[in-house]
Amino acid sequence: MVVSWAPQREILQHGSVGVFVNHGGYHSLQESILGGVPVICRSVWADNHINAKIAEEVWGIGVRVEDRVITKSRMVKCLEIVFEQEKKKKMRQACDELKQVLIKADGPDSGAAKDLKTLSQLISG
């Protein structure tokens, strides 16, 4: 079925989802982290490349598709890495740790919330 919209965050939080194949966009990575799901990134353009690199090399929550070209053998290689028991466990732990950072950053007492309040006060003056 093809639909114009799907509740991606809720889908990613479902226990049967094992990996999220995406373009390495910031929002997709954030939703994956909040869902506790490792990623396979096939970066497309702009910030996608650096986001995918960070997801793999810094955060340890996924892998990148070799040369950013999806082929059967490259996807199988990525899936084997993501579903290897120890790596899968480490990636999910990394997602859980980053999830706590995201939740804290998005809370009512976060710097972002305070900055928004300050901006609102400046604008409404």
Side-chain angles (χ1 to χ4, degrees):
M1 177 180 355
V2 177
V3 295
S4 63
W5 180 86
Q8 186 164 290
R9 183 177 282 182
E10 289 85 6
I11 291 168
L12 290 171
Q13 291 173 343
H14 194 277
S16 66
V17 177
V19 66
F20 179 28
V21 180
N22 66 60
H23 65 295
Y26 176 78
H27 195 247
S28 294
L29 292 176
Q30 185 181 30
E31 287 182 334
S32 185
I33 290 165
L34 291 171
V37 179
V39 295
I40 295 175
C41 294
R42 190 272 188 187
S43 57
V44 181
W45 66 289
D47 68 328
N48 299 168
H49 307 309
I50 193 71
N51 293 345
K53 183 177 176 100
I54 290 169
E56 180 178 30
E57 296 179 11
V58 179
W59 296 337
I61 62 167
V63 297
R64 292 175 286 171
V65 175
E66 183 182 335
D67 296 325
R68 298 188 313 261
V69 177
I70 293 178
T71 64
K72 180 180 177 181
S73 62
R74 289 177 181 169
M75 282 305 293
V76 167
K77 182 179 177 181
C78 288
L79 289 166
E80 286 173 344
I81 292 169
V82 170
F83 286 113
E84 190 273 316
Q85 284 302 87
E86 266 314 298
K87 288 202 184 257
K88 178 180 173 181
K89 184 178 177 183
K90 286 181 182 178
M91 286 181 191
R92 286 194 178 263
Q93 285 175 337
C95 283
D96 288 341
E97 291 169 10
L98 287 169
K99 179 179 181 175
Q100 297 311 311
V101 171
L102 285 174
I103 290 170
K104 184 177 178 184
D106 193 37
D109 296 324
S110 69
K114 290 175 187 173
D115 290 345
L116 181 60
K117 184 177 179 180
T118 301
L119 178 62
S120 295
Q121 290 171 344
L122 289 170
I123 292 171
S124 62

